[in-house]
């Protein structure tokens, strides 16, 4: 049996250098070659946070050789080495067929991570058929977060859920207690979506003054009272 090819930082860098001024499409062709060769990308793991040229290769060469979606999710869970929002979002498609109960179990851990890109992953992993029809379960995951890329992930997921369950999202948003920096972004994404009706866009836009006023009111409450008040919000 032919020995499995091992991808080292040195060997991969040589292949990248041979491409000259390469683009993403060139890297993807290289990845397809490595996958066809069933190459072992494990040695790249310790380098992807400091040498981003290996990041896409490490994830894709591994994920494209793993056929079982639960095993793919386990691989991602053991390799939460995200360097920016783009690298995080690129792997959404690999877990789209995951069992929802398994997925939300992971997400409930991720949204409390100290790493903002892991928190982002806890939301964007549902922006596929994985999240469709689960607004009642996913909206309670939303929480105040001051990191821009996490807020954008929350807004993106809220808008995605609105495509399929606008009534549930609208009812929840009216009393969710989230900062307007999140709700406002979500409403903008809802209004930008061609998959949401104009009638619903009008209804969500109409919430803006109410949401602004409600959140500003919390700023005048003692911190503990504000926390207690926000705990009482629910979808129903």
């Amino acid at each position: 049996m032919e020995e499995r090819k091992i991808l080292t930082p040195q060997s991969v860098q040589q292949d990248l250098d041979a491409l000259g001024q390469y683009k993403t499409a060139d890297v993807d062709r290289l990845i397809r070659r490595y996958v066809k060769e069933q190459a072992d990308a494990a040695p790249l793991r310790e380098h992807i946070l400091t040498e981003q040229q290996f990041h896409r290769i490490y994830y894709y060469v591994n994920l494209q050789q793993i056929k079982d979606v639960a095993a793919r999710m386990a691989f991602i869970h053991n390799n939460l080495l995200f360097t920016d929002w783009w690298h995080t979002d690129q792997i959404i498609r690999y877990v789209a067929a995951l069992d929802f109960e398994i997925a939300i179990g992971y997400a409930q851990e991720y949204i409390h991570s100290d790493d903002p890109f892991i928190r982002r992953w806890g939301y964007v992993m549902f922006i596929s058929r994985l999240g469709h029809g689960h607004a009642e379960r996913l909206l309670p995951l939303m929480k105040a977060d001051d990191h821009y890329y996490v807020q954008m992930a929350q807004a993106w997921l809220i808008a995605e859920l609105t495509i399929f369950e606008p009534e549930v999202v609208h009812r929840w948003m009216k009393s969710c207690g989230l900062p307007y920096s999140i709700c406002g972004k979500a409403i903008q994404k809802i209004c930008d979506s061609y998959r949401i009706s104009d009638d619903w866009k009008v209804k969500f836009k109409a919430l803006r003054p109410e949401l602004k006023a409600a959140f500003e009111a919390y700023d005048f409450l003692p911190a503990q009272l504000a926390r207690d008040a926000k705990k009482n919000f629910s979808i129903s």
Side-chain angles (χ1 to χ4, degrees):
M1 180 180 292
E2 186 177 346
E3 189 174 344
R4 188 180 184 189
K5 180 174 183 175
I6 306 296
L7 301 182
T8 66
Q10 295 77 21
S11 67
V12 173
Q13 189 61 60
Q14 286 178 352
D15 288 339
L16 290 173
D17 291 342
L19 296 174
Q21 292 187 330
Y22 58 85
K23 298 179 181 179
T24 300
D26 300 314
V27 176
D28 285 343
R29 280 192 289 273
L30 183 61
I31 289 169
R32 287 195 292 273
R33 192 186 93 195
Y34 290 152
V35 171
K36 186 176 181 180
E37 296 169 340
Q38 297 185 326
D40 180 0
L44 301 180
R45 187 181 192 276
E46 301 306 314
H47 300 266
I48 62 176
L49 290 176
T50 54
E51 301 170 81
Q52 288 199 8
Q53 69 271 31
F54 301 132
H55 199 284
R56 185 182 185 88
I57 295 170
Y58 174 74
Y59 274 95
Y60 280 23
V61 171
N62 278 293
L63 288 170
Q64 291 182 25
Q65 292 185 71
I66 301 172
K67 304 307 178 185
D68 178 73
V69 66
R72 283 193 214 119
M73 186 66 219
F75 171 82
I76 293 169
H77 181 68
N78 292 322
N79 292 274
L80 296 171
L81 305 171
F82 305 132
T83 57
D84 59 26
W85 65 269
W86 187 82
H87 286 129
T88 304
D89 300 357
Q90 287 290 301
I91 59 175
I92 293 171
R93 62 192 174 98
Y94 288 104
V95 299
L98 188 64
D99 176 80
F100 178 79
E101 295 301 328
I102 293 174
I104 198 167
Y106 281 113
Q108 287 166 342
E109 174 185 340
Y110 297 155
I111 63 171
H112 297 291
S113 171
D114 291 335
D115 186 324
F117 296 115
I118 295 176
R119 298 202 302 276
R120 181 180 173 93
W121 172 239
Y123 297 109
V124 302
M125 61 185 286
F126 294 100
I127 300 177
S128 68
R129 66 182 184 274
L130 177 58
H132 296 175
H134 295 292
E136 298 262 8
R137 301 284 302 282
L138 292 173
L139 290 171
L141 295 181
M142 304 294 167
K143 62 188 185 68
D145 195 302
D146 60 5
H147 194 279
Y148 173 79
Y149 287 115
V150 181
Q151 291 184 352
M152 292 303 294
Q154 292 173 310
W156 187 11
L157 179 55
I158 291 167
E160 180 78 7
L161 297 175
T162 303
I163 295 168
F164 304 97
E165 300 177 85
E167 298 94 342
V168 174
V169 178
H170 189 266
R171 185 168 67 248
W172 167 83
M173 188 177 285
K174 286 194 294 185
S175 59
C176 67
L178 287 178
Y180 187 74
S181 56
I182 297 171
C183 292
K185 290 180 176 70
I187 292 171
Q188 186 59 55
K189 285 187 173 292
I190 288 167
C191 293
D192 289 343
S193 175
Y194 67 89
R195 295 188 291 171
I196 298 172
S197 73
D198 289 341
D199 286 346
W200 276 112
K201 289 176 183 179
V202 169
K203 291 178 182 178
F204 277 96
K205 282 185 200 177
L207 291 179
R208 280 176 166 155
E210 180 182 343
L211 292 172
K212 284 181 181 178
F215 190 73
E216 287 170 0
Y218 285 117
D219 290 340
F220 294 97
L221 292 173
Q224 186 58 52
L225 288 177
R227 284 194 293 271
D228 291 344
K230 290 180 184 179
K231 285 179 183 177
N232 292 328
F233 284 113
S234 64
I235 295 174
S236 59

